[in-house]
Amino acid sequence: DVKVTQSSRYLVKRTGEKVFLECVQDMDHENMFWYRQDPGLGLRLIYFSYDVKMKEKGDIPEGYSVSREKKERFSLILESASTNQTSMYLCASSQGQGSGYTEAFFGQGTRLTVV
Amino acid sequence: AQTVTQSQPEMSVQEAETVTLSCTYDTSENNYYLFWYKQPPSRQMILVIRQEAYKQQNATENRFSVNFQKAAKSFSLKISDSQLGDTAMYFCAFTPGGATNKLIFGTGTLLAVQP
């Protein structure tokens, strides 16, 4: 059974803390994504990675960074957490170019609250 | 810019009835993929159906079918014989394919199936 696993389902952090959200996939996928989901705004892409050590900014990268040192792991980093980063964070992965089949698989999501 | 628009924030349908969710998108690409994802209250995002832009035939998966109008850039989802388990948030998504398979989502439609 294919799997994308996010390290935490719920997380509460203080303003100014450095926060790490971890995501691991076991499907040998090239692409990995981080989204944030807010009511009425859908899923907005923060960053994505199409290979190890490769990354591209999505639509809302400000205040975030990412790390992909190994193919199966993609980390989202909030350098200095702020209350406006309180949200649901979703990780996803998909196959790369030429696969012809680009379905994305999602983790369970992490609900982050910054107080 | 590549965008996905879902103009129906909420919809309601009676059990066993048929409902259609709307989606439009904007792209200058010719080869791309379209998806409908379902997110039930459990939060796990799962793929409902996908459509390759080069295929003229509309995709069908059991009770779920799409009406793909490439010229109009429209991709609606029809759910037949609605069931209580269909209650969920439905997201339309688009990927231009290519090297990065960036996946872009709409804002979602919350569907409630009434008994």
Side-chain angles (χ1 to χ4, degrees):
Chain A
D1 201 14
V2 297
K3 221 168 192 178
V4 178
T5 303
Q6 294 183 229
S7 54
S8 303
R9 196 163 167 87
Y10 298 93
L11 211 53
V12 180
K13 295 292 181 179
R14 295 194 179 278
T15 302
E17 273 193 80
K18 190 169 186 176
V19 181
F20 294 84
L21 302 184
E22 307 286 346
C23 176
V24 177
Q25 52 98 359
D26 64 0
M27 296 165 281
D28 200 36
H29 283 168
E30 286 82 3
N31 302 317
M32 295 189 76
F33 308 85
W34 275 108
Y35 294 89
R36 67 175 281 176
Q37 181 178 4
D38 299 288
L41 298 178
L43 275 70
R44 292 180 292 167
L45 183 62
I46 305 171
Y47 268 97
F48 65 102
S49 168
Y50 50 91
D51 201 350
V52 175
K53 296 188 187 291
M54 305 302 288
K55 61 186 179 185
E56 283 197 27
K57 293 180 180 179
D59 299 317
I60 51 164
E62 295 79 18
Y64 303 94
S65 62
V66 291
S67 172
R68 193 168 181 199
E69 296 297 318
K70 293 185 177 181
K71 191 175 185 180
E72 67 270 19
R73 186 179 297 269
F74 192 37
S75 303
L76 179 69
I77 304 155
L78 286 67
E79 298 291 343
S80 177
S82 64
T83 55
N84 63 14
Q85 292 178 309
T86 291
S87 185
M88 173 74 75
Y89 290 87
L90 290 171
C91 176
S93 71
S94 72
Q95 290 175 326
Q97 182 185 19
S99 67
Y101 183 66
T102 54
E103 173 188 358
F105 293 85
F106 284 81
Q108 283 275 64
T110 296
R111 186 170 295 282
L112 173 67
T113 303
V114 183
V115 297
Chain B
Q2 295 162 334
T3 58
V4 177
T5 302
Q6 293 179 250
S7 58
Q8 305 153 313
E10 295 185 24
M11 292 191 73
S12 182
V13 64
Q14 292 295 124
E15 202 173 1
E17 296 293 307
T18 295
V19 64
T20 298
L21 309 183
S22 302
C23 174
T24 58
Y25 57 94
D26 189 23
T27 182
S28 57
E29 302 282 341
N30 192 44
N31 294 320
Y32 50 88
Y33 301 85
L34 293 157
F35 307 88
W36 278 98
Y37 281 88
K38 169 185 177 181
Q39 187 182 41
S42 66
R43 295 187 344 208
Q44 183 65 57
M45 190 85 76
I46 56 176
L47 179 70
V48 174
I49 198 165
R50 67 182 177 99
Q51 174 82 43
E52 292 89 345
Y54 62 86
K55 290 186 177 179
Q56 292 186 334
Q57 187 173 3
N58 288 325
T60 299
E61 289 287 342
N62 301 313
R63 296 183 295 107
F64 299 87
S65 62
V66 299
N67 183 5
F68 173 49
Q69 302 287 330
K70 191 172 184 179
K73 295 181 182 175
S74 171
F75 183 60
S76 60
L77 174 70
K78 186 171 83 170
I79 306 174
S80 304
D81 185 25
S82 297
Q83 301 176 359
L84 296 178
D86 295 334
T87 292
M89 183 73 82
Y90 287 82
F91 291 98
C92 179
F94 155 87
T95 180
T100 59
N101 291 330
K102 182 178 179 180
L103 190 57
I104 303 161
F105 283 83
T107 52
T109 296
L110 181 60
L111 176 67
V113 180
Q114 307 292 344

